[in-house]
Amino acid sequence: MRRKPFVATILLVLVCALALAGAALAGTGGFAPPTPRSPNAQRTNDAYYLILAFTGAIFLLVETALVVFVIRFRSRGRPRTVEGPQIRGHTRLEIIWTAIPVVILAAITGFVFYKLPGIKNVPAANAAGGRIEIGVEAHQFYWQFRYPDGSTSVDELTVPVDRNVHLTLTSPDVAHSWWVPSLGGKIDVIPGRTNHTWFRAQQNGVYRIRCAELCGIQHAVMLGFVRVVPQSDYASFLGARHAKTADLARETYQGVCAKCHGFKGEGGIGPKLAGSAGLNDRTALAKTIRNGIGMMPPVGRTWDSRQLNAVITYLQKHVASSAGGAAGGG
Ligand code: CUA
């Protein structure tokens, strides 16, 4: 007769766990990582699920035992002064509960070390299909990408599908962290140090980049995208980059200036730029962009003259004349 409530409780716990597991694992916002779209992200995912399986099983075991013991060994009206049975050590049990965790930890460690080279090591330059070299600069508060032909882009990296992409990461200001959850693990971007990582996107699409290191007041908006396109689109993207400065100018304004000064220059955490007389002096403006001033970081420290001139022209043409009214912004 006594067993019935235990069995019912265990069943209830199991049913709840299973019901919650479905919801918890469902896509973004749950406990599951985003769908991996690169071999290194896939390997990270594999390790995640191995660890989840062990921790999930242990959680169920411990919680079930807890509930069973709470019910089975309840006081049943026994006076508080009465001592429970005194139990001495149990050698075999102690060996078992030491040995099993050791085996589990060894299995996890072994698996992770087996997967690690495929996550961390950048595929060789002479690997099938070769690799594309991309320079990634992390700045307060944007990402700048340098392509093999010398082109640049801000906050949006365009790469062809099914190619190894080797990233060389540097920071001219403070520590940031490169993270594209679908395309492999995080890597810190640290001033004075050059770090490397890679991915091979297996599907066309747009993948979110996040800065994963608190790098200043606008860290939260240090977002970007990796745009994965067919090989032919990549070639035409680079062609267009060379021909048109306008795209780079707009991108630079939106990715670099607008995050603090507003999309229309209406001001934000940085001063209002719209209608500012200071925008007329190209030389002073160039100096401010390169070196920073007061709270403003030296955002343009690494820009070539093409990018610097392009954004100054953009500021004068689209922002200086704009009213940047109170209702503006984006
Ligand atoms: Cu860069 Cu946070």
Side-chain angles (χ1 to χ4, degrees), residues 49-326:
Y49 280 108
L50 181 84
I51 294 167
L52 185 67
F54 280 122
T55 51
I58 291 166
F59 176 79
L60 277 184
L61 192 75
V62 170
E63 294 305 307
T64 309
L66 179 70
V67 171
V68 168
F69 285 15
V70 161
I71 295 168
R72 186 166 161 76
F73 298 106
R74 65 191 185 279
S75 80
R76 294 175 191 282
R78 177 164 41 86
R80 285 190 171 275
T81 46
V82 175
E83 290 226 21
Q86 302 299 299
I87 300 164
R88 300 194 57 96
H90 190 299
T91 311
R92 204 200 312 160
L93 249 179
E94 286 172 12
I95 290 174
I96 290 173
W97 75 47
T98 308
I100 291 177
V102 168
V103 170
I104 292 174
L105 287 179
I108 291 174
T109 311
F111 187 80
V112 168
F113 274 100
Y114 166 70
K115 291 281 181 181
L116 204 52
I119 293 171
K120 206 171 164 278
N121 299 354
V122 182
N126 58 9
R131 70 184 194 193
I132 294 173
E133 304 287 341
I134 301 285
V136 179
E137 280 173 14
H139 292 256
Q140 287 175 311
F141 298 94
Y142 69 99
W143 301 97
Q144 171 124 357
F145 302 104
R146 300 192 185 278
Y147 297 82
D149 70 348
S151 310
T152 55
S153 67
V154 171
D155 279 354
E156 191 173 288
L157 169 64
T158 300
V159 288
V161 69
D162 277 329
R163 290 283 299 275
N164 290 329
V165 177
H166 173 208
L167 306 173
T168 301
L169 302 112
T170 53
S171 165
D173 44 48
V174 301
H176 305 264
S177 183
W178 168 262
W179 189 30
V180 186
S182 304
L183 301 177
K186 274 180 210 162
I187 188 147
D188 283 354
V189 194
I190 302 164
R193 201 188 143 88
T194 302
N195 277 346
H196 301 272
T197 189
W198 71 286
F199 63 83
R200 186 171 74 243
Q202 292 154 324
Q203 202 176 83
N204 295 335
V206 173
Y207 303 96
R208 197 176 261 275
I209 307 167
R210 286 197 165 277
C211 176
E213 184 76 52
L214 182 62
C215 54
I217 191 163
Q218 290 297 72
H219 156 73
V221 293
M222 194 167 163
L223 305 168
F225 292 98
V226 176
R227 204 161 59 89
V228 176
V229 297
Q231 180 69 43
S232 56
D233 290 14
Y234 175 65
S236 49
F237 161 80
L238 285 183
R241 277 278 127 175
H242 258 298
K244 276 164 65 186
T245 310
D247 288 347
L248 180 64
R250 183 181 34 78
E251 221 173 81
T252 304
Y253 177 75
Q254 291 177 352
V256 182
C257 315
K259 282 174 185 166
C260 295
H261 297 283
F263 265 87
K264 292 173 179 164
E266 71 275 19
I269 66 150
K272 179 176 172 178
L273 294 181
S276 160
L279 298 184
N280 297 326
D281 185 345
R282 284 190 86 94
T283 317
L285 198 50
K287 212 176 137 199
T288 304
I289 291 172
R290 280 228 192 273
N291 304 330
I293 188 164
M295 294 280 285
M296 177 174 157
V299 288
R301 187 182 279 173
T302 64
W303 295 352
D304 59 14
S305 54
R306 180 180 176 228
Q307 188 175 11
L308 185 66
N309 287 323
V311 82
I312 290 175
T313 304
Y314 186 96
L315 280 163
Q316 294 184 335
K317 202 167 147 194
H318 297 282
V319 182
S321 58
S322 148

